[in-house]
């Protein structure tokens, strides 16, 4: 169980920060729409949770090799050059 938690630590923290961001923004929308008052700290916390989400998600996809990349030029090159570029 601890190994699974450690291996997917970035995913759990990224999902938690995404959940926080959506929750804070929803709270801000409800406060502005129904109560005509803005809550200043929700904007800052949602911004920081979005930054953590982006950084942790980019680390995770880089580690798994699932990041988006342009491969048009790499696919045209010969196999020996392509392997060198992949390294």
């Amino acid at each position: 169980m601890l190994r699974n938690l450690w291996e997917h630590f970035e995913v759990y923290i990224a999902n938690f920060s995404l959940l926080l961001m959506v929750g804070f923004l929803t709270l801000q929308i409800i406060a502005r729409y129904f109560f005509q008052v803005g809550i200043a700290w929700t904007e800052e916390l949602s911004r920081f949770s979005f930054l953590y989400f982006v950084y942790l998600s980019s680390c995770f996809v880089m580690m798994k090799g699932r990041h988006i990349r342009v491969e048009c030029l790499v696919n045209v090159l010969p196999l020996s050059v392509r392997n060198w570029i992949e390294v």
Side-chain angles (χ1 to χ4, degrees):
M1 184 173 138
L2 288 175
R3 184 178 205 166
N4 185 28
L5 180 67
W6 182 254
E7 289 176 357
H8 299 290
F9 180 73
E10 292 94 358
V11 176
Y12 295 140
I13 298 298
N15 286 339
F16 181 70
S17 64
L18 181 64
L19 178 71
L20 281 177
M21 181 185 67
V22 170
F24 290 142
L25 291 176
T26 303
L27 179 65
Q28 177 75 337
I29 291 169
I30 289 172
R32 283 188 182 185
Y33 186 73
F34 290 113
F35 304 116
Q36 283 78 32
V37 65
I39 306 171
W41 56 268
T42 58
E43 181 182 345
E44 295 295 324
L45 287 177
S46 64
R47 181 180 301 147
F48 286 120
S49 64
F50 177 71
L51 288 173
Y52 284 120
F53 171 72
V54 169
Y55 286 134
L56 289 171
S57 298
S58 64
C59 291
F60 175 72
V61 297
M62 199 65 174
M63 184 175 61
K64 295 293 183 181
R66 297 180 184 172
H67 56 286
I68 298 173
R69 60 184 177 176
V70 178
E71 296 182 338
C72 296
L73 179 65
V74 176
N75 290 338
V76 175
L77 297 172
L79 185 61
S80 61
V81 177
R82 189 181 320 165
N83 290 337
W84 187 79
I85 288 176
E86 288 291 328
V87 170

